[in-house]
Amino acid sequence: MPERTEDPFGGRTPTSHERMTGLPWDASYHEGPAPWDFGGPQPAFVRAAGRFTGTVLDAGCGSGENALHLASRGLRVLGVDVAETALGAAREKAAHRGLDAEFVTADALHLERLHRRFDTVVDCGLFHAFDAEERVQYVKSLEAVTEGTLYILCFSDQGENTGPHPVKREALTAPFGEGWRVKSIEKERVRTRFHDENGAPAWFATIEREPSDE
């Protein structure tokens, strides 16, 4: 009988990026920091943090720098990811810094399984990692947990030295239909380990969840 091998995707359907690389997201953290993990919170989120209110969900939190920054400001934060190595690092940082932030394993394409809702949802570098079909599923997933405002920071296709999977402005807004209102999309920068201190071109989108008529 052939040897049984452990499923590196934990029973979930791998994303388009994982199918392309043949590796789970967790592998990005096995040999040091991931390419997007430059050692601190994204400056865009630091600048915008004063706009965040209530309970916060960090979807695709990685090693937790953005979530921990928000927790340091007194916000109640839950960070979710499928990368167990990253979540372990996030929990260690939280304990070391004495910050009250929660980190759990969860699939961003099935956030309804959290059975929780949040006043603020932040997405740093997750949206651009999905293909067009996954983005539609992701927005449907976000509907189940977003009570107030969603903030997305993703690579932009405008400018030089763009990051991988750059997103056109129209591709950013396309999945958000009825029940959402795109309030603003601003030009920003994303810090990575492979760009200089100015980072890569990005979009910073503010998207509000409209109240249901029910």
Side-chain angles (χ1 to χ4, degrees):
M1 290 180 63
E3 283 188 26
R4 293 182 62 186
T5 57
E6 185 179 352
D7 177 10
F9 304 106
R12 63 182 173 81
T13 301
T15 66
S16 55
H17 180 86
E18 290 172 316
R19 292 193 300 272
M20 180 182 68
T21 63
L23 296 170
W25 283 110
D26 195 64
S28 300
Y29 298 89
H30 289 179
E31 298 180 3
W36 49 86
D37 196 349
F38 71 95
Q42 285 290 337
F45 280 123
V46 173
R47 289 190 291 270
R51 295 153 58 183
F52 303 164
T53 60
T55 54
V56 180
L57 173 66
D58 183 351
C61 66
S63 66
E65 289 293 348
N66 294 313
L68 292 170
H69 174 72
L70 299 180
S72 74
R73 293 177 58 91
L75 292 164
R76 183 180 174 192
V77 186
L78 171 67
V80 300
D81 209 294
V82 295
E84 295 286 354
T85 303
L87 291 170
R91 295 183 189 112
E92 288 181 6
K93 291 177 188 178
H96 179 72
R97 300 175 193 179
L99 293 172
D100 184 15
E102 183 182 2
F103 296 97
V104 302
T105 306
D107 185 346
L109 297 178
H110 294 283
L111 293 171
E112 70 280 356
R113 296 171 184 170
L114 291 173
H115 301 291
R116 294 168 65 175
R117 295 184 70 80
F118 300 85
D119 303 296
T120 301
V121 178
V122 298
D123 169 343
C124 180
L126 180 58
F127 182 90
H128 65 225
F130 292 136
D131 65 18
E133 184 177 336
E134 288 166 337
R135 289 170 187 169
V136 173
Q137 184 180 354
Y138 178 44
V139 171
K140 185 69 177 176
S141 174
L142 287 167
E143 289 177 4
V145 295
T146 307
E147 194 75 40
T149 306
L150 165 69
Y151 298 90
I152 295 177
L153 181 66
C154 67
F155 286 132
S156 164
D157 67 325
Q158 295 191 7
E160 298 180 353
N161 199 18
T162 60
H165 311 299
V167 177
K168 294 181 181 295
R169 185 187 177 103
E170 55 269 29
L172 175 53
T173 60
F176 294 95
E178 185 177 355
W180 297 93
R181 183 172 76 92
V182 179
K183 186 176 180 181
S184 66
I185 299 178
E186 307 162 66
K187 290 185 177 180
E188 254 296 353
R189 309 293 294 185
V190 171
R191 288 285 307 275
T192 78
R193 291 179 56 232
F194 297 105
H195 291 83
D196 64 22
E197 64 276 8
N198 294 316
W203 300 118
F204 188 82
T206 302
I207 305 172
E208 294 178 343
R209 190 82 173 100
E210 295 183 328
S212 171
D213 294 333
E214 296 180 3

